[in-house]
Amino acid sequence: MQNFLLAVDRFSTWFGKACAWSVVALTLLISWEVFSRYVMNNPHAWVLDAQIMLYGLLFMAAGAYTLAKNGHVRGDVLYGFFRPRTQASIDLLLYLVFFLPGIVAMTWAGWTFANESLAIREQTFNADPLPLYPFKFVVPIAGGVLLLQGFVEIIRCVICLQTGEWPKREEDVEEVDVEKLKEMVHVKDADLADLDQLAPQKGGQK
């Protein structure tokens, strides 16, 4: 079971990182349009729509990735002080009551909207129209990946309720935890204080 959970984590991570390349495309597109508009005096009407599509792709794909890393913001400041079983009970309730109905509805509706857009070959409304139906398929695809990751999180909740411990997750690049970094390099706050005191002395000698 643990291998399956980590496999889904890796898939969500791969999906998120693959779609994250849209940031590069978005940066290049905006830079090129700024140069074309203000230097060459040749703006393009379709660029704004393309920017919105790329940003939408990035935003939608980030959901499953963030959930796989347990990175979504929690509103309850007391949550971290609860025992793992209590946390799992709260999470399981919220997944069943709010997450599953919402994501299932989004994925189902997104699939319907995407197919309707494909049937009429929907385009954007500007002087230089872009095909809109490929972008609309991002909604059900991202929703499906997020739903799969959500099922994995529900399984994690059930395992935690049984064992009293949270199952392991796939590790990835995270923000630096200063306290953990201090432990790794064997540095104490007193050492940093001594270093701060020596800094002015060295500056004065110069």
Side-chain angles (χ1 to χ4, degrees), residues 3 32 44 54 66 87 102 111 133 139 149 151 159 162 169 187 202 205:
N3 291 334
W32 173 75
H44 301 85
L54 288 171
T66 308
Q87 294 176 344
W111 180 254
Y133 54 90
V139 177
Q149 186 64 46
F151 280 122
I159 293 176
Q162 294 174 345
R169 293 181 177 273
V187 174
K202 292 182 178 180
Q205 292 176 358

Side-chain angles (χ1 to χ4, degrees), residues 134-182:
F135 171 69
K136 285 197 172 182
F137 275 98
V138 171
V139 177
I141 293 174
V145 178
L146 181 58
L147 189 61
L148 176 62
Q149 186 64 46
F151 280 122
V152 166
E153 299 306 317
I154 290 174
I155 294 174
R156 281 195 168 98
C157 291
V158 174
I159 293 176
C160 184
L161 289 173
Q162 294 174 345
T163 64
E165 295 181 357
W166 284 107
K168 293 182 179 179
R169 293 181 177 273
E170 185 78 3
E171 295 183 357
D172 195 14
V173 178
E174 298 179 356
E175 292 184 2
V176 175
D177 188 323
V178 177
E179 296 303 324
K180 289 184 179 180
L181 186 60
K182 289 179 182 178

Side-chain angles (χ1 to χ4, degrees), residues 45-150:
W46 55 269
V47 170
L48 178 60
D49 291 328
Q51 292 175 16
I52 295 173
M53 292 180 187
L54 288 171
Y55 178 76
L57 172 63
L58 177 67
F59 180 83
M60 294 296 296
Y65 173 88
T66 308
L67 186 59
K69 305 307 173 188
N70 197 28
H72 285 287
V73 176
R74 301 185 185 277
D76 189 353
V77 295
L78 300 178
Y79 179 89
F81 296 97
F82 294 152
R83 295 179 301 175
R85 278 197 173 95
T86 304
Q87 294 176 344
S89 299
I90 296 173
D91 286 357
L92 183 60
L93 177 63
L94 295 177
Y95 276 122
L96 295 177
V97 175
F98 295 103
F99 178 87
L100 285 182
I103 301 303
V104 168
M106 182 190 74
T107 306
W108 181 270
W111 180 254
T112 302
F113 293 151
N115 279 281
E116 290 176 350
S117 179
L118 175 62
I120 62 174
R121 297 297 192 273
E122 186 178 6
Q123 296 180 331
T124 57
F125 294 96
N126 58 42
D128 300 316
L130 295 176
L132 188 57
Y133 54 90
F135 171 69
K136 285 197 172 182
F137 275 98
V138 171
V139 177
I141 293 174
V145 178
L146 181 58
L147 189 61
L148 176 62
Q149 186 64 46

